[in-house]
Structures are given as structure tokens and as C-alpha cells.
Amino acid sequence: MSTPSETVKEADGELRWELPARGPVGMYCLIAAEAAIFVIFVVAYLFYVGKSVSGPTPSILSLPLFISLCLLSSSLSIHLAVGALKRGRPASFLAYWVLTLLLGAIFLAGTAREWRHLIYEEGLHALHVTVGLLLIGTVAVFTFLRKVQQEHAGHVEVLSLYWHFVDAVWVVVFTVVYVIGR
Amino acid sequence: MSTETTGWTTPADATVPLVDRLHGWVTTVDHKRLGILYILYALFFLVVGGIEATLLRIQLIRPHNAFLSPEVFNQLFTMHGTTMIFFVAMPLVFGFANYLVPLMIGARDMAFPRLNAFSFWMTAFGGFVLYFSVVGGYGLYGMATAPDVGWFAYAPLTAKTFSPGHSTDFWTLSLLVSGVGSIGTAVNLITTIICLRCPGMTLGKMPLLAWLNLAMAVLVVLAVSPLTAAQLMLVVDRYLGGHFFDTQAGGSAVLWMHFFWVFGHPEVYVLVIPAFAFASEIIPVFSRKAIFGYPVMVAATLAICFISMSVWAHHMFTVGMTSLSNTFFVLSTMAIAVPTGIKIFNWLATMWGGKISFRTPMLFSTAFLFQFLTAGLTGVMLSSAPFNWQLSGSYFVVAHFHYVIVGGILFMAFAAFYYWFPKVSGRMYDERLGKLHFWLFTIGFHLTFDCMHVPGLLGMPRRIYTYEPGRGWDVWNLLVTVGVLFQGVAVLIFVANLILSYLRGPLAGSDPWDAWTLEWSTSSPPPEYNFAVLPVVRSRRPLWDLKHPEDPDWKYE
Amino acid sequence: MGPGPLSPTDIFAPVSTPAQSIFELSLFVLSTAAAIFVVVFSLLVYAVVRFRKRANDDGREPAQVYGSTQVELAWTIIPVLIVLVLFLTSARVIFSVQDAVRPPEALQVTVIGHQFWWEYRYPGLNIVTANELHVPVSEKGHPTPTFLKLLSADTDHSFWVPRLAGKTDLIPNFPNSTWIDPHEVGVYEGQCAQYCGTQHAKMLLRVYVDSREDFERWVSRQRQPAQVSEAVAQGRAIFERTACINCHAVQGTAANGTFGPDLTHLMSRDTIASGAAPNTEAQLRRWVENPDSIKPGSKMPAMGLDTHELDAVTAYLVSLR
């Protein structure tokens, strides 16, 4: 990770100046903003749970266990991918990265099948998954073109943070819509 | 491009073709240029919003006036509020933050310069979308389709049933777009402050302006998103068959209110906290003393941030929440008055024992202290729920929040304009015109907004295009309208001062105020890269240390 | 309670317990705020005068004071105490007003807010009327408060008669309630206090606090079906033939619309269009001919009647005592 650090000479010795890297900090801020949006949707959903207003209810949705497992596993695979790149193993990185892409795509396809009922929360979540997949896909393309090197591990890790967030949101959505909503 | 500066007055510019210079501005990612663009954008819409207010006040100058139809009046007050909050106050706040924060923390730019540019253009586009509503839709044939639902757009007035056509959609869309810009800038500010401080500048040695803008940015990240979410739900209601807020199908109008005010209340702190930032930089310099109680000022700011997320329903005391809920929000709202009030005492203590020089920035800052005190006290009155049951929805509330926004925020913005104008433009403004602006504006402000409290106490609700005679409101409304004239003239003098001074003002030098923070160590205007060598700091006032090597701050902090 | 009100809608001239409780609390809050203001204002003025830079200044920087724990502690603790007191006094009034128990002999009225008029139903008395609310005066020794249930037929409204009580909103799908116990006979004014659309400004309120006898008389009149008179048969026929009856009700006739105000005893009211115009024959005629000339944007359409029809319908309406 590229950290702006300075070694500054002071009259009474040296001062080492190291601040956090801007990539992760910026991504955490973005995650906070997105989390706030999702919280409001979850609150709205919980507010109407049990009331007979039209909206997505578990009775018309089948329990999406399989695709949930896919998405959760993709968090693991992306974590392994980032680790591999940091240790300078581009081949392993590519393998895990493509696996992430595949698992995410399966999730999205499964969600799309339920799509006509799921505009509200799932649509928003699916949108984020799509954006994430596009970004991951872009990195995959660059990897194939041999442009992704070890020193890019920091950027890739920032992207993986976003993906973990998307996964965490799914856990919440799953719990609220499919579990509590029953 | 490497020798490009933000000033318009360097001789080098005279030889560059105008097209290239404009292109430089449109494609810039330099925080200083983007800051100026934000501020100029805000100034433009300040005039537009001011004209809207003037039209409203002419209609209300006497009972049963027929200057404006109710439809146009209702659009005007909606546009006035929406414009002033989202396209004047927010851009002003972001503009000053953009310009000053990197300079004051010894950085060369914001953390994400391209995101910075993107955020500005999104905000700007949002304003364009809002005003397109005037000519879009049925256009001027249908008396315009500007939104007419009030700036907080309560449901179910915004449902398709009660607002057919697209006026509400213009409101929703423009704020969705500018919301993206706001969040982008906030993310940028937080990252910049955390990651790009110059060596030696720990968080405890940052200027208060940096702390306060950090707090403001955190609030934006947490508070703008709920508005975005609620607006997405509104779009779903209006076009995709949703019923989040559609009361005719079992939806909840109160849910919209909760979501909106969860945004709306922190939003006003987003606007006022930067005003505190300006006060915390300007008052010490003109009193010739360090800010009194820096650690407590930081702690109070963080307390305000934290508590501000828990007070929102004091906008809903009349809605019919349970007595227990009402009581909670009274407590949280009164609690937030404590750290806010403390700040006034700290500024007062900064002036105490000092040598106060009443140049224009300090005149505005002093007026700010008196006026923010008053505004805070009317806020305390409003925080008492039973009293609120009489005062809310009346002109007392309108007077209160204008007292904060105009008497507090705008006054400090003027102070900031005058204080940093020499740094940004390289030239000194005209002091006599500045003082004239101050006195005229203060007289007008008080005439309008002091008098405005009275009709509220006598039962006049807000958002009415006309009113009955015989209720004791007439003379007060007249006085309120007269005050607008003074303010309008004052603002024109201000704009004239800015233009004349930048064209012909005397050169200001890098440090005309004998100040203490890092921006005054650069040339005026600063070079594009800000600092050739990143400064190393040892205290909160690095320039004081340089100017007083025998008595530096770091010995006492 | 002192000199007369400065205005018929003066919040500091209460005649009913909720408004009175608020008034007393407000005096306390105001005086606390005023005291704080005087103290801080004086300190500010003193600082501005005493510490301004003199003309003969020697140019040296004053002593730099970075803070003082004792002073900062003091000016934190004192505001906290003030806040505590304000909070407790406010809480007391919240509970006493909001959670007041409805006595069995209280009058119950259902208020339904419409764009841009007020519907009043007295469920116990079988009365439906509009825009002018009649309630009995409530004597101190023998209180007869009126409890209002607040509903809305369309958007948000707010019932605000300052001399009687604080305002409470009328929100669709969210019933609210409020109460008043006015102890002085008279007419009390107010208006809708939550922006509800184009004619929010002219959704006025008139509350008639009647003596016990006057109220009983009003009730018995309101319970009668509409007056029938052959002289206005033609107007009545036009009224029942055109779309009037789609919106308006006249008890005892074919008209039973509920979108607009009940007109059974229209002439018992002092104003029309929810206070927008006095209830005279000329204004009635003008209203029926072209509502937008009195209240542009109201929901009543111009019925497109010719002069003859207008005269007839107006005569009919005037007969509805």
C-alpha cells in the first residue's frame, strides 16, 4: 500500500510521519454513505412488515440459499485473491479473481429470476452487485492483459473492501426480508 | 500548465487566449479553482434566491395583495428554500472547504482531485435541473412547472394524486443529482484531512477549520444518504407502483417526515459548522489572541455532530407522536444547545483581553456572535414541545431559521469572503465599501428578521400567499418587506466591491492580516502546487512560531 | 388575564386550558432566555468596547491565554442545569396536555381536513357541518371540554386556533386528537397551519364558543333536515339536476355528496369557502358562478350556470337556514 511517509529531520532527532492511505479511507467513507442508504430502506421494510401493503414478502420468494452461499463464498475468494497478489503470485490471483467474478455472476442471475418482485430492496442491492461485478470484470480484463502487478495490490484491496460491503448488505437484506419478514 | 495560478490578475494570463483560459477552468481538478467555481456558483444563486424572496415579500407587504397568484407564490417559496439550501449554502460551504482545507493542512490538493471535479459538476448540474423546471414540462404556458410542494416536500402532497405533472420530479431529481456531488465532496474532505496532513500536524495540531470541516463532512456522509434513499422511494411511489408514502393505499406520511428530518436536521449543522470554522479562524486573528479552549472546541463540535443525529423529530412535535417520544426529542434538542452555546463563550473569551481590530471581517464576525446568540435562544424556545405547538408552522420558525442562516451563516460567509479575498485574488478589498455593505445589510437584516418574529407570535402561519387583515399582522409584514430593500442594496455593494477590488485593488501580499495558519505562508494567490516544500509544523499556529521564536506556541500546548 | 389580546390569534391571550398551560410555560422559557440574553449580550458589548484596539496601540501582542479549566467547567455546568430545568418543566406540560383523560361528559367532535375546508361531525349528536365549529363554553366549576378527533381526507393539514390550544396536525391514515375547554364565550379564529396545496392560505378556522343554552339551540337546529320551501323549488331542481349533489349533501334531499361541505344549514354560517368570504347572497352567487374569483385553486369547479339558473340556485341556497 502506498503510504505517504516522510522522514523529517528535526533538531532533536528524526520524525517519522505516516498517515493512512487514501484509497481505503475513501472507500470506507463511501461504504458509510451507502450503508446509510441501505439502513433507511431496511427501516422502511421493517416498518411495513406484517402490514398488508403490496411489496416483496417471503411467501412469494423462495429461500435463496444457494445464491447466498455463492455470494458469501465470493467474499472468501476475493480475500484469497488479494492475498495472492500481495505475495506476488499473479497466477493464483487471477484464478481467485475469476472465481469471484463467476460466483457474483451466479448470484446476479439468481436474483434476476426473482426480479419482478424485488425492485425495492433487492433492486438496489442488485445494482450495487452489478457495479461491483463490472469493476471486478474490468480488473480481470487488465489481468489478462498482464497489466496487474504486485504493486497494485493496494488498489485491488480497496475494490475488495467494496465487495465485502456488498456481501454484508446481502446478509442484512436476507435477514430482514427472508427471515424476519416471514 | 505548471505555472498556472488561480488568480486572474497575473500578467501571464494576458497573453493566454480567453478560450484556453475558460477551458482551463472547465477542466480543472485544482482544489483552489474548484473552490472558486463553487463560490461563484453559490453567489449567482444567492442573487436568484434573493429575487425569489423579494417577490414573495412584495406579495406579503399587505393583506389580500394580488401581486402574485397562489400557484406562483407556492412555487416561489419552494424554489427559494430549495435554492438557498442546496445551491447557495451547500456550494458555499463546499467551496470554502475545497479552497482552504488543503492549504491549511499543508497539502498540495485534495485526496481525489478528479472526484472533486466530478462532485462540483454534479452539484452544478443539479441546480440546472431544478431551474429547468421553470421552462420544462408545460413551460411558461402552464405558469411553469417549478416544484410547489415546499422544500421539505411532505407526503402525500408529493404523491401523483396531489402533484400530477412533473414539478415534484424536478425537485427529486435535482436533489438526487446534487446529493451525489455532496457525498463525493464529503468523502474527499474526510480522506484529505485524515491522509494528507503535512508532517508534524497531528489531529490535535490541525487548525479548527480543518476539524470543523471534518465534522461537517462526516455529517454529510451520514445525513444526505437518508434523503437520497427517501427520494428513491418517492420515485418508486410515483412511477413504479410503490406505496411507501401513499396514504391512500396504506402508506405513511409520517415515515417521509422521519426520513426527511433525519437528513434535514443534520443538514442545518452541515451549514452552520463551517460558519463556526470561519469564526474560529477570524476572531482570534482580529483579537490578536489564540482561540480560547481549543480542545473543548473540538470536543463540543464532536458532541454536536453526535447529538445532531438524534434530534430530528423536534420538527415533528405537532405531528402526534406519543408524549414519551416528544419528551425524548425535547431532551436531545435542549442537550445540543449546551455544546453550541459553549462555543459562543469560547469566542467571547478569545476576544477578552485582546486588542480587537474592527476591520470588515471582524464586524461581520461580531454581528454573528450577537445574532447567533439570539437565534440559539429562539431555538431553545422552539425546543420546548408545548411552546412549539404554538410556534411551529408559523412565522416565528421562519424568523428563527433565517436568523441562523442569514444572521449566522451568511454573516460569517461575508466575513470569510473579506478575510480570504486577499489570499485568493492577491488584492485587498475596499474597506469603506466593506463597512457600507456591513451596516446596510445589518440594518436590513434586523428590520426584516427581528420584526418577523412578531406575526408568528400573533398566529400567522407560514407558506400562505396572503393573509387576513385585522389580525395585527399588517404593519409587521410591511416592515419585514422594507428590510429586504436594504439587504438587496447591500449585496449589490458587496458584489461591486469584489469586482472592483479584484480589478483594481492594491496588491495584498501573502499575509495582510498578520495571521498564523499555513495558507498565509504562500504567495497571494498561491501557486498551483501550493507548497514547493511541504511545511513541517510543531504547533497549532505555525506562523506564530515563526514570528515569535522567543515565545512559540508549542511551549504551551 | 390582563389586557385584551393584541390580535384574535394572539398566542399570549389564552382562553382554554391547553393554551393557558402553554402560555405559562412560555413565560418561564421566555424569561430564562431573556436572562441568558441579557448576561451574554452585556459581556459581548463590554468586550467589544473594552478590548478594542486603541489608536495609540504599541503594536505588541496581548497575553496569549489558551484556556482555563475552571471557567470552561463553569460555563458548561450552568447551561446543563438550565437545560435540565427547562426540560422538566416542558415535560410536565407535555404529559398534562397530551395525556389528558377525556371525561365522560366531554363533547366529541371529529374534524376531517380537506383541501381546502374543514368538515365537522358530531357523532353523538348526529350532526354534520363544515368550516364553523360550535362548542359549548366550559365553566371552571363544571368543565365541559370538547375532544377533537383529527383525520384527513387528502393531504396533511393542521388545526390551529392559537387562543384555544397549540396546533395538532391532521394526517391521512394517522388519526390524531386534541382538546379544548374554552371558558369565555366568543368567536375564536385560526387557520390551517400545514401547507396543503394551492389554497392553504384560505383554509380559515372559526370556533364559536356558545353559552350552554345557545349551544343546545344550535344543536337542535342542526339536527333538523333541510328547510323546504316551494318558492325555491326551481333552484332546488337545478341543484339536484346538475353535478352539485355529487359533492354536497343536503339532509332530507337527494343530495348526499361528501366531497364538499354539507349545506343543510348553510345560512347558519357567517362565512363561506372556509372563511374566504362573508356569507351574503351576493358572495354566494359569486362563489357559485366562479369559485376562482374568491379562492383560485379551490376544488369547486365553476358550474357554468346561466344568469337565470344562478339566481335560482342562489335563492335555494339562501333558503337553507
Side-chain angles (χ1 to χ4, degrees), chain B residues 1-18:
Chain B
M1 284 307 236
S2 59
T3 51
E4 194 184 87
T5 68
T6 57
W8 316 271
T9 53
T10 51
D13 282 342
T15 57
V16 176
L18 181 64

Side-chain angles (χ1 to χ4, degrees), chain A residues 88-159:
Chain A
R89 319 255 295 262
S92 301
F93 162 73
L94 184 59
Y96 283 123
W97 197 253
V98 169
L99 180 60
T100 307
L101 199 58
L102 278 170
L103 290 169
I106 294 174
F107 173 84
L108 209 57
T111 306
R113 272 197 3 199
E114 309 251 356
W115 199 29
R116 52 204 160 87
H117 301 296
L118 300 176
I119 324 174
Y120 310 130
E121 287 206 54
E122 299 245 11
L124 193 64
H125 181 251
L127 182 69
H128 284 75
V129 172
T130 310
V131 166
L133 282 182
L134 283 171
L135 292 171
I136 293 178
T138 310
V139 171
V141 167
F142 280 130
T143 313
F144 277 120
L145 297 174
R146 306 254 181 282
K147 281 187 190 278
V148 179
Q149 307 299 331
Q150 186 175 8
E151 66 260 25
H152 298 125
H155 299 296
V156 168
E157 180 154 22
V158 168
L159 182 50

Side-chain angles (χ1 to χ4, degrees), chain B residues 252-277:
Chain B
S252 168
V254 177
L255 193 65
W256 169 269
M257 294 182 195
H258 280 295
F259 289 163
F260 184 85
W261 289 114
V262 161
F263 151 75
H265 196 81
E267 166 70 8
V268 311
Y269 285 98
V270 165
L271 300 182
V272 88
I273 286 175
F276 296 163

Side-chain angles (χ1 to χ4, degrees), chain B residues 38 89-98 101 110 181-190 193 208-224 266-278 301-302 304-306 308-309:
Chain B
Y38 265 118
M90 296 276 272
L92 212 53
V93 153
F94 290 147
F96 275 104
N98 244 311
V101 168
M110 298 275 268
S182 302
I183 295 179
T185 304
V187 168
N188 224 338
L189 271 172
I190 296 173
I193 291 172
L208 278 180
L209 186 137
W211 263 114
L212 286 151
N213 277 289
L214 177 63
M216 176 270 284
V218 168
L219 276 181
V220 170
V221 163
L222 294 178
V224 172
E267 166 70 8
V268 311
Y269 285 98
V270 165
L271 300 182
V272 88
I273 286 175
F276 296 163
F278 301 149
T301 306
L302 296 176
I304 289 174
C305 262
F306 189 68
S308 77
M309 302 293 308

